[in-house]
Amino acid sequence: MIPYNQKMFSRELNQLGTYWLEKLPNVSFEDTLRSCLTRKAYGTQPGHAQFYYPKKYGYGELWLRMADALRNNIEYEKTVRGIDFTSRTVMTSDGYSYQADLIITTIPWMEFEVIVGMPDTIKASIKELKFSSIQTQYFPEKLDTPCHWIYYPDAKLSYHRVLVRHNFCPNSQGYWTETNSERVDMGPHIDSFKYMNQYAYPLNTIRKPEIMSSLLCWSKEQGVIGLGRWGEHQHYNSDVTVELALKLAEQYVM
């Protein structure tokens, strides 16, 4: 657990709290030993042991179909620059502004260059939120394994896990590695497609629950709701964020 989490987060682990451990299997020493001997999983599985995935294509298909259904209500190539809580207005970098009765934000809070009307204490606490950046790199070779994900705690390897896409996405090939941005230079310099995701994982630092509770409670009172992995700074899977959005919509539509 220690080497894997150091590879994934690339932070001193004493900065992290323990409140997020419900995401991990709850196993005793006996369960762990039995799992190794029988090659079967024992213990209580975490909430995200299973998740929904499209039967065809990749997970991006979900967002493409949503975008098609909402195409008359989406504006592309807009970079949000700031938010004004006093007037419930969002400002973009090209000079446009959008006012609404209710704003739902799913972007990282630290991405707002301008924040108007927020108490200084809450605004300052946003700067304490931490995150990790991950490079995903594609390799066309087919791995001889039935696994979907493979996790690598070995500190000598730059990447911390591999996604074997051809095992769950029909007619696909190859695999992807995930490497923390601070460990990218450790890996082999192979000329293949790669993408650096600046905002990959929110870090569960010790004060994060306190910071986010104050931030989300206050912003909701102003008519601004933080939702999803970055709106709530929570390590949610994609299917969970969809469920949260549907539940939120039901509250306000009804």
Side-chain angles (χ1 to χ4, degrees), residues 144-159:
D144 184 18
T145 174
C147 299
H148 291 188
W149 293 98
I150 307 175
Y151 297 81
Y152 294 89
D154 187 351
K156 295 179 182 178
L157 298 174
S158 60
Y159 50 87

Side-chain angles (χ1 to χ4, degrees), residues 28-49:
S28 63
F29 171 78
E30 290 77 12
D31 288 330
T32 303
L33 179 60
R34 198 183 335 168
S35 297
C36 293
L37 294 174
T38 64
R39 294 184 178 275
K40 295 182 179 180
Y42 289 90
T44 303
Q45 289 295 320
H48 71 302

Side-chain angles (χ1 to χ4, degrees), residues 2 10 62 76 87 103 106 126 134 140 144 160 169 200 241 254:
I2 290 177
S10 286
L62 188 67
Y76 291 99
S87 60
I103 295 174
T106 63
I126 293 175
I134 299 295
D144 184 18
H160 56 268
C169 185
T241 64
M254 309 223 7

